[in-house]
Amino acid sequence: MFDDPLLLARLQFAFTAATHFMFVALTLGLAPYILTAQLRATLSGDRERMSAVRFWGGLYLVNYGMGVLSGLVMELQLALNWSGLQEMYGYSFGAPLALETMTAFFIESTFLGLWIFGWDRMGRWAHLGCFAVVTATAYLSAWWVLVSNGFLRNPVGFEMVDGVAHLTDPVALMTNPAATMAFGHIVTGALLVGAAVIIATSAYHLRRGSDPQRMFSRGIGYGALVMVLLPIPVAGFGGVQFGLFGQDPPTSGQTYSAAEIEAIEAAGSGVHAGVGTAAEVFMMGMWGLMFLLGPVLLLGWVIARVSKSARRLRGALYPLAVLPFLPYLASVGGWVFRETNRQPWTVVHHLTTADAVTPMSPAAAAAAFGLFTLAFALLAGTTWWLLVRFARRGPEGGPLAERRDDGAAPAESSTPVPTF
């Protein structure tokens, strides 16, 4: 394996992309919940409810910071290892990624900074507006990435000039069905990731008997409702994409003739079929399990609320600690299926994966694989440790926890304190 630069480059990108997606999915999954919680606290003027926003926002902050770092490393890897793709399709594939960089690293980061340092320093509606911009740009950033990825699956809106693709129809690029359907699938799947993390964190604190202002009871209720409502849309958006797999892209024939395309696909047709099939079965199994778990969780939450017997159900909360692994693994399995189904192409019917990779020696490929894999392993491990650490501390020990002048921890109160 270590003497094949192409295989090493592909494994390296698969690992880094899957790791980076962990941060992206949690960002997209937590942002709407935090925004809604802050809206309710702002409308009520309830400072105690705002402690929940600070707690979940602290987890969002840790995850976002590591997401930015991993995104920078992944973009560097994309430029270094896949120069063939950049040279031939930089004007079309690279344009949405440039817009994503502007969105994420400038607009989103700026308003997140205002939100972080704006507690009690700006008006409550202006502060809420900052996080509304953060949420919107997070989803816009995901959209631009999927526009680029959709181009690889279903290349549209360009023409070849001297062996280089030039963008001629930006509207076709942005309305590409390979991008729009993938966006719906990713967004709904990410909301499930966020809901699962909220459930797992809430379950941990409920087991310990800690539920200030019922914030963790609300978290269980929200997560259970999401797990009931969203598995079907996730499956629907994913299923629609199957129709693209057997279709030729509209631009087919500009680079290779039909006979050449058939010969290339015949030569590489059997290499990835087993991996793709295994990923498909695994993905469907994970989503199916979540489809069954959602109603059970919601029913248990309703029974606990109505009968006020949460203490008796405390033992049932222990398995929920591993719940976040289900949507995350399902999403990664779906991505593996989508990408292996595209092989042996990087850009379907235009650029093979072998031609897209940067020419390098086996030693250079092995060194790059080792360095990038180590960097992402450290980033992922650090993030998981920080997230678990702050999640276990609760609302009084998070990165955005309110600090009192006397140094004392904020006391729990059974009544709202409308001072915000």
Side-chain angles (χ1 to χ4, degrees):
M1 180 184 78
F2 291 101
D3 59 351
D4 186 349
L6 175 59
L7 180 59
L8 284 172
R10 293 185 60 199
L11 288 175
Q12 178 183 324
F13 191 79
F15 175 73
T16 53
T19 305
H20 178 64
F21 178 75
M22 175 189 72
F23 309 123
V24 174
L26 188 53
T27 294
L28 297 177
L30 281 181
Y33 182 69
I34 297 170
L35 181 63
T36 304
Q38 184 167 357
L39 175 61
R40 293 184 62 182
T42 300
L43 289 171
S44 64
D46 185 354
R47 198 178 192 93
E48 293 300 318
R49 275 185 175 267
M50 194 60 68
S51 65
V53 179
R54 288 178 175 269
F55 172 67
W56 298 114
L59 300 185
Y60 181 94
L61 173 60
V62 171
N63 179 76
Y64 179 85
M66 290 300 180
V68 169
L69 288 176
S70 66
L72 290 172
V73 176
M74 194 172 73
E75 288 195 2
L76 175 62
Q77 171 203 257
L78 188 63
L80 292 177
N81 283 8
W82 302 97
S83 60
L85 174 62
Q86 309 302 330
E87 292 170 0
M88 192 170 182
Y89 290 95
Y91 293 126
S92 45
F93 167 79
L97 290 181
L99 289 171
E100 187 272 337
T101 301
M102 294 290 292
T103 301
F105 295 148
F106 290 94
I107 302 176
E108 186 179 356
S109 297
T110 298
F111 279 88
L112 182 61
L114 290 172
W115 186 76
I116 292 169
F117 297 106
W119 290 95
D120 299 322
R121 291 181 174 86
M122 64 173 65
R124 58 186 181 182
W125 288 104
H127 192 249
L128 174 66
C130 287
F131 199 79
V133 175
V134 170
T135 303
T137 49
Y139 279 81
L140 183 60
S141 177
W143 163 252
W144 287 123
V145 170
L146 289 170
V147 167
S148 288
N149 184 265
F151 177 85
L152 303 180
R153 170 72 260 176
N154 187 47
V156 295
F158 73 96
E159 64 178 4
M160 300 300 298
V161 179
D162 297 329
V164 177
H166 290 262
L167 187 63
T168 58
D169 191 349
V171 174
L173 182 69
M174 290 186 289
T175 58
N176 188 347
T180 55
M181 293 299 103
F183 181 73
H185 186 62
I186 289 295
V187 166
T188 49
L191 288 171
L192 281 170
V193 172
V197 170
I198 291 170
I199 289 174
T201 304
S202 299
Y204 171 79
H205 288 282
L206 289 175
R207 289 200 313 266
R208 300 171 65 240
S210 173
D211 194 16
Q213 295 298 312
R214 302 189 62 81
M215 61 175 290
F216 295 120
S217 296
R218 292 195 301 271
I220 292 282
Y222 164 81
L225 184 62
V226 169
M227 291 195 67
V228 169
L229 296 178
L230 288 190
I232 292 179
V234 169
F237 283 117
V240 170
Q241 297 179 68
F242 280 83
L244 295 173
F245 291 165
Q247 295 181 3
D248 292 341
T251 54
S252 182
Q254 288 192 33
T255 307
Y256 293 99
S257 67
E260 290 173 326
I261 290 171
E262 183 178 358
I264 291 171
E265 292 183 341
S269 60
V271 177
H272 309 94
V275 176
T277 301
E280 180 185 10
V281 172
F282 180 78
M283 168 192 66
M284 291 184 173
M286 294 293 101
W287 291 128
L289 183 57
M290 281 183 286
F291 178 79
L292 297 175
L293 282 176
V296 175
L297 287 171
L298 186 59
L299 179 61
W301 179 78
V302 170
I303 291 175
R305 289 293 302 272
V306 173
S307 64
K308 298 181 179 180
S309 59
R311 185 177 297 274
R312 297 179 183 177
L313 298 175
R314 191 171 296 173
L317 298 173
Y318 283 91
L320 298 181
V322 299
L323 187 62
F325 289 99
L326 296 183
Y328 175 66
L329 291 175
S331 298
V332 172
W335 174 77
V336 171
F337 171 69
R338 176 184 171 95
E339 297 304 298
T340 53
N341 184 273
R342 178 160 47 87
Q343 297 303 316
W345 303 101
T346 291
V347 181
V348 172
H349 289 188
H350 292 281
L351 180 66
T352 66
T353 306
D355 290 333
V357 72
T358 301
M360 64 183 82
S361 66
F369 177 81
L371 289 173
F372 277 98
T373 300
L374 177 61
F376 264 72
L378 291 174
L379 284 173
T382 302
T383 303
W384 287 332
W385 178 76
L386 288 173
L387 285 173
V388 171
R389 182 187 183 194
F390 287 123
R392 294 179 64 182
R393 283 185 174 184
E396 298 177 3
L400 296 180
E402 185 176 8
R403 309 304 178 191
R404 301 300 175 90
D405 293 338
D406 58 3
E412 294 186 10
S413 173
S414 59
T415 58
V417 181
T419 58
F420 178 75

